[in-house]
Amino acid sequence: MDQQTKAALKQDNFITTTSHGLEWAKENRKSVIVTVSLLLAVIIILVAVGVIYTQRSNAAETAFGEAMQVYQAPVAIAGQPAMPGVKTYANVAERATAANKLFANVADHYGMTKDGKNARYFAGLTAAEAGQTQTAETTLKAVADGFDKDLANLAKLALADLYRQTGRDGQAVDLYNQLAAKPTNTVPAATAQIALAEMYTAEGKTEQARKIYAQLKDKDAKGVGGVLAAQKLNPAAATGPSLQQ
């Protein structure tokens, strides 16, 4: 087959393929337009959602920062003058009440953002500090049931402390055991175990506390938890030998 014939065949194939393509496009023009329109609509929606989420995240970050400033504000010390230009609070409860309103507002308006979720946790903490026990329990339980395990465990730890303060030690024990069994970066197993041991010590159950400390010391001898457990088992060694003449 000579070159001229090959070129003619290629041209015929190109024309045939192009014709078929044009015919298909013509026959399916409406469906093509609908499909393209849908794709464009989806892209536009995704971009719009991304822009809105970014704006809300930025707003949540700012509002959360303002709430933290109140939460970290100094408490007035009796007999000492307040620093000029620095907002102070008469006591921890008053400061917690002021911060709680801000944290709750952030959580209610920006609950889907990271700062909104963190704000819900701090709303629970500050409610407890302000003496709003029922509100604190409800809020912390909501965070504890969330998908963010790091934040959920922090809420469970705070909830266990709330149970201790309100005389529900059995519920506190259950939470400490849960935390020890399923630790996270925010609440390592040692943290929950030490909190449980301290609770037992406060109740006069020293043998149960010593058992926890001993297990932790053997399991994590070089870790922070193990070192602290060793100090709890032997306070004299932690303070060093007494000076004798």
Side-chain angles (χ1 to χ4, degrees):
M1 185 181 295
D2 57 30
Q3 292 296 326
Q4 186 175 1
T5 303
K6 289 181 179 180
L9 287 173
K10 287 182 180 180
Q11 186 175 5
D12 288 343
N13 288 334
F14 174 76
I15 292 173
T16 300
T17 302
T18 302
S19 298
H20 287 163
L22 291 173
E23 289 176 5
W24 181 90
K26 185 177 180 180
E27 293 173 358
N28 298 275
R29 185 174 177 227
K30 185 175 181 180
S31 61
V32 170
I33 292 174
V34 171
T35 301
V36 172
S37 298
L38 288 174
L39 288 174
L40 287 174
V42 170
I43 292 172
I44 291 171
I45 291 172
L46 290 175
V47 171
V49 169
V51 170
I52 293 172
Y53 182 81
T54 299
Q55 291 175 340
R56 290 183 62 79
S57 294
N58 291 338
E61 183 179 3
T62 299
F64 181 73
E66 292 172 353
M68 285 299 296
Q69 286 183 347
V70 172
Y71 188 46
Q72 295 172 343
V75 173
I77 300 175
Q80 292 187 10
M83 294 180 62
V86 177
K87 172 66 177 176
T88 60
Y89 292 88
N91 50 56
V92 171
E94 182 183 78
R95 180 181 64 183
T97 299
N100 178 261
K101 293 178 181 178
L102 298 177
F103 282 127
N105 186 61
V106 177
D108 291 340
H109 286 83
Y110 307 104
M112 295 302 294
T113 67
K114 180 180 178 181
D115 287 301
K117 293 173 183 177
N118 289 336
R120 184 75 66 190
Y121 163 68
F122 278 98
L125 285 185
T126 50
E129 290 182 9
Q132 302 168 10
T133 305
Q134 188 56 57
T135 299
E137 183 173 350
T138 300
T139 304
L140 290 172
K141 279 183 175 180
V143 179
D145 291 336
F147 293 106
D148 186 333
K149 296 305 178 184
D150 283 337
L151 197 58
N153 271 15
L154 283 173
K156 288 179 181 179
L157 189 64
L159 196 56
D161 186 56
L162 182 64
Y163 286 152
R164 287 178 58 182
Q165 293 175 24
T166 52
R168 291 176 284 175
D169 290 355
Q171 289 175 273
V173 171
D174 289 341
L175 281 179
Y176 286 138
N177 286 331
Q178 287 179 31
L179 292 169
K182 295 182 179 181
T184 58
N185 292 328
T186 53
V187 185
T191 299
Q193 290 172 305
I194 289 173
L196 178 57
E198 289 177 343
M199 189 190 79
Y200 283 145
T201 300
E203 294 176 343
K205 301 176 181 179
T206 54
E207 284 305 313
Q208 288 175 270
R210 286 184 64 83
K211 182 178 179 181
I212 293 174
Y213 286 136
Q215 291 175 341
L216 184 55
K217 175 178 173 291
D218 293 338
K219 186 177 181 179
D220 188 25
K222 296 182 179 180
V224 175
V227 171
L228 183 57
Q231 293 174 355
K232 293 288 186 179
L233 288 169
N234 191 4
T239 57
S242 60
L243 296 177
Q244 296 181 351
Q245 298 295 335

